[in-house]
Amino acid sequence: MTNDLPHNAFKAALAKGELQIGLWCCLADAVAAEICAGAGFDWMLLDSEHSPNDNRTILAQLQTVQAYPTTAMVRPPTGNAVTVKLLLDIGVQNLLIPMVDTAEQAKALVSATRFPPEGVRGVATQTRASRWGRVHHYLENARQEIGLFLQVETKAALSNIEEIARVDGVDGIFVGPSDLAATLGYLGEPTRLEVQREIEAAFRSVRAAGKPIGILAPDETLARRYIELGATFVAVGIDTMLLARATSALLKRFKTSQKE
Ligand SMILES: O=C(O)C(=O)C[C@H](O)[C@@H](O)CO
């Protein structure tokens, strides 16, 4: 343990164009997070948008995952300066902000991750992020190791996607296939051709802006296709889905009448 600012290996790898394979985590539990971290994913998304996490449960998962060579990324329920500040203070270094539709929103989120005069992040000296004040020059250097990733998942966002991606301080764009499908008029059909075409166009725009592109793809064929199309941070599974499928399949082997 040193008093250096913790290195953000995920952000550094993406900046070099290295593929980062991730797991989407909704179980909201430190033991579950530890089991998943032990698999060796490059990154794990701890979700608070649709999962029963709060800052205490996120904190417990951060402490657990930190013991493994896996980077945690956290998705708050919504992106605003207060939510971002609280997560950064407990030591979150990678944020995934849902529902970002405009470059103005993106700029406000960048500002939320930076201390004045550059931004509006509130200053606290006694936080886990600075190892309780022991990290030398935390206030000056914190922003270098913070990764800000924005979710593009509405029709409006698609029309602004390149502008959003070009905002200085945005480290990558992540497509939310389910919400995108819904807003395009195909609720529950993210694999539909029309949605896939929009996803491919989104990938092209983000790549044109020179930023990393990521996506959630629990279907292996789709995940491999997205990687071929240039996605460099791909969540290839969801913890709840893996558990639900494995438990149903196990029981089915013993009770033949049981449906998966
Ligand atoms: O729109 C999406 O897809 C996402 O943002 C991911 C979902 O929220 C995730 O919970 C899987 O359903």
Side-chain angles (χ1 to χ4, degrees):
M1 182 64 62
T2 73
N3 291 332
D4 293 336
L5 183 63
H7 176 59
N8 186 343
F10 175 72
K11 179 180 173 179
L14 284 185
K16 286 188 270 178
E18 289 170 11
L19 178 63
Q20 298 288 284
I21 296 297
L23 182 71
W24 201 264
C25 299
C26 306
L27 284 167
D29 180 82
V31 174
E34 179 158 36
I35 294 168
C36 296
F41 287 95
D42 298 312
W43 60 286
M44 288 168 51
L45 184 282
L46 310 177
D47 182 40
S48 301
E49 189 195 6
H50 290 292
S51 309
N53 268 311
D54 56 31
N55 283 357
R56 283 248 169 218
T57 60
I58 291 289
L59 172 60
Q61 290 168 82
L62 291 177
Q63 289 167 327
T64 306
V65 171
Q66 196 173 18
Y68 295 82
T70 295
T71 301
M73 180 191 275
V74 174
R75 180 169 75 164
T78 184
N80 62 56
V82 174
T83 311
V84 165
K85 170 174 61 182
L86 283 165
L87 289 174
L88 293 178
D89 282 353
I90 62 169
V92 174
Q93 284 190 305
N94 292 290
L95 289 159
L96 180 64
I97 309 293
M99 299 281 178
V100 178
D101 288 346
T102 65
E104 285 64 41
Q105 258 181 289
K107 285 176 194 160
L109 288 162
V110 172
S111 170
T113 65
R114 298 179 179 190
F115 294 118
E118 215 185 335
V120 297
R121 179 177 173 192
V123 181
T125 53
Q126 291 302 302
T127 60
R128 180 171 180 268
S130 68
R131 298 199 201 280
W132 315 109
R134 293 189 178 106
V135 170
H136 306 299
H137 306 296
Y138 176 77
L139 298 177
E140 293 89 325
N141 300 328
R143 56 161 283 199
Q144 291 163 20
E145 301 298 336
I146 291 171
L148 179 64
F149 301 90
L150 306 183
Q151 263 193 281
V152 158
E153 45 189 347
T154 65
K155 221 171 168 174
L158 284 184
S159 51
N160 298 323
I161 188 166
E162 195 167 331
E163 212 186 333
I164 296 171
R166 285 192 189 279
V167 170
D168 194 30
V170 170
D171 295 297
I173 299 292
F174 191 90
V175 174
S178 297
D179 280 308
L180 190 58
T183 164
L184 291 171
Y186 306 112
L187 181 63
E189 298 182 89
T191 58
R192 203 182 160 108
L193 191 61
E194 292 87 338
V195 181
Q196 291 302 310
R197 282 207 193 105
E198 295 291 348
I199 290 176
E200 289 181 21
F203 278 25
R204 285 193 292 275
S205 303
V206 176
R207 282 162 61 79
K211 293 285 173 73
I213 178 86
I215 192 160
L216 171 60
D219 173 272
E220 184 173 340
T221 308
L222 262 185
R224 291 190 186 282
R225 177 163 163 66
Y226 293 143
I227 292 167
E228 266 173 36
L229 291 171
T232 51
F233 58 116
V234 182
V236 297
I238 306 177
D239 59 358
T240 45
M241 188 186 274
L242 293 170
L243 188 59
R245 286 186 179 167
T247 48
S248 291
L250 174 64
L251 185 59
K252 196 174 170 218
R253 290 204 293 278
F254 291 88
K255 291 192 174 200
T256 45
S257 61
Q258 190 79 19
K259 288 206 172 94
E260 254 186 69

